[in-house]
Amino acid sequence: MAPGVPAALRKLLPTVLCTAVVLGAALWQHRVVAVSAHALAGADWRWLVVAGVATIALWPCSVWMMRGSIPAHTSAAETSAPQTSARKLFALQLALPALGLVPTASVLVRLRFLRRAGLTHTAAIASMTLFGFAAGMVRIPMIAIAAVAMPRLMNHSGARPPWHGLAARSEAALRVAGGHPWLTAGLGGAAFAILLALIVLGVIMVRHKVAARGGWRQLLLRHGPAEARSALKSLTTTAVRPGHAALLWLCAVAEPLLMVVALWAVLHAVGANLSLADTFVVQLVTVALAPLLPTPGGAGSRELTIAAGLTAVAGLTGGVAVAAALGFRLITFWCQVPLGLASFAYLSHRRHI
């Protein structure tokens, strides 16, 4: 990248590339996209309202969950008016999804917000860790339940799993490889060399960044053991306080369930009468598969994984599945991007970040 290009544009490059890939896939499957657009245009607006209400209910959940992860003494001392604190947290949770389109931006903005709220750097990192820990500890059991229930749903819907006929395809591939041993060895060696080069490049980049910051010891002990112990004590105190723990864990449970309700309502809006339990399975399975296609803010990857899950697991047709995926993401993400940018401008203007 040319040195004259602003850093913000360089950070947006992954989003632009992912968007280009998604647009290319949409042009390639233009017939399916046309059918899905027609189905989405004729969707039942009453079900879309239900999806919108479930999405709006996510906003206070996110605010309460963030409040539950912030040490009590900091959130109380942040301002003399509790309404102002709630307004700041509300603006922050609106801004974070839009900022997620730029890699690492949402993490840095949340960290800066907590620092401006009065936390030390280590305490802010600990608070963010508690937030992520609660979300992970709730979603992992849900994903496990969905994975166990997935074969039953696939048997009911008549959908074939992606690994159907894998043995036959593997046997055919081995026969082809056996017929061209030198070509197979060359391709395998090239793939191994590329993988090894990527690993070496990653290690060199990490070592270079660590060396620029004074080495591993300086990086890990930069803030001192006393501050780390203080942050850990504040974190554990926050986690076991009844009020904060209730906000944190109850909202961590409510958020994925509200997303399930939103997807369920969009499915009914486009004419796919999937039950709430089956929607739970599809939503949580796609949440687990989305990181396999890492994109900033889940742009494109979430739509693809949801549509693939609805097709491969629930047995829906391609047009209906894509319509449901697009409608779900429009309501729960893309329509909130302008609000997020406005919220980010408000926080910047008020110097809260």
Side-chain angles (χ1 to χ4, degrees):
M1 183 68 65
V5 179
L9 294 180
R10 293 200 298 269
K11 291 181 179 180
L12 277 172
L13 182 60
T15 302
V16 174
L17 292 177
C18 294
T19 303
V21 171
V22 172
L23 290 176
L27 291 175
W28 179 43
Q29 298 289 337
H30 62 278
R31 293 183 180 178
V32 175
V33 174
V35 173
S36 66
H38 180 74
L40 196 57
D44 189 342
W45 65 269
R46 293 168 296 184
W47 283 107
L48 294 179
V49 169
V50 174
V53 170
T55 302
I56 293 174
L58 286 167
W59 297 351
C61 276
S62 298
V63 172
W64 292 333
M65 192 173 173
M66 283 191 287
R67 183 185 290 276
S69 65
I70 298 175
H73 60 84
T74 303
S75 59
E78 180 187 352
T79 177
S80 58
Q83 299 89 340
T84 305
S85 177
R87 184 160 61 245
K88 292 177 185 178
L89 289 173
F90 183 77
L92 177 65
Q93 71 85 25
L94 276 182
L96 290 178
L99 296 176
L101 292 172
V102 180
T104 72
S106 59
V107 175
L108 296 177
V109 167
R110 181 180 294 189
L111 178 62
R112 188 174 179 85
F113 177 88
L114 293 175
R115 292 297 306 274
R116 290 290 179 92
L119 274 71
T120 64
H121 181 85
T122 308
I125 293 292
S127 178
M128 293 168 59
T129 302
L130 178 60
F131 183 94
F133 174 77
M137 290 302 294
V138 167
R139 294 191 183 191
I140 289 174
M142 289 186 177
I143 291 173
I145 294 171
V148 170
M150 185 175 66
R152 180 200 61 81
L153 175 57
M154 297 182 70
N155 291 334
H156 177 70
S157 63
R160 290 185 173 182
W163 56 86
H164 178 76
L166 181 61
R169 291 196 297 269
S170 300
E171 184 179 352
L174 288 174
R175 285 200 300 268
V176 172
H180 304 83
W182 290 107
L183 178 60
T184 303
L187 292 176
F192 178 77
I194 292 173
L195 178 61
L196 184 61
L198 290 175
I199 293 174
V200 171
L201 180 62
V203 171
I204 293 174
M205 291 177 63
V206 170
R207 290 188 62 182
H208 178 71
K209 289 188 176 182
V210 170
R213 298 188 179 185
W216 288 106
R217 183 179 180 84
Q218 180 67 22
L219 186 64
L220 295 175
L221 302 178
R222 177 174 51 179
H223 303 284
E227 186 178 354
R229 285 195 298 269
S230 175
L232 181 60
K233 182 180 178 180
S234 176
L235 181 61
T236 54
T237 303
T238 303
V240 298
R241 286 176 64 92
H244 280 245
L247 285 175
L248 180 66
W249 292 99
L250 290 177
C251 293
V253 172
E255 279 196 344
L257 295 181
L258 286 171
M259 295 291 282
V260 171
V261 172
L263 179 58
W264 174 71
V266 173
L267 284 167
H268 279 72
V270 297
N273 297 322
L274 209 63
S275 69
L276 195 57
D278 293 342
T279 307
F280 173 87
V281 174
V282 174
Q283 166 67 11
L284 269 298
V285 168
T286 56
V287 166
L289 294 178
L292 297 178
L293 296 172
T295 57
S301 64
R302 294 291 177 89
E303 290 84 349
L304 290 175
T305 53
I306 291 172
L310 291 171
T311 303
V313 178
L316 300 183
T317 60
V320 174
V322 173
L326 291 178
F328 173 74
R329 287 287 288 170
L330 281 172
I331 292 174
T332 59
F333 181 74
W334 291 109
C335 287
Q336 300 182 53
V337 170
L339 289 176
L341 296 177
S343 180
F344 175 72
Y346 164 79
L347 290 171
S348 299
H349 178 70
R350 295 287 183 175
R351 298 186 182 277
H352 297 321
I353 54 175

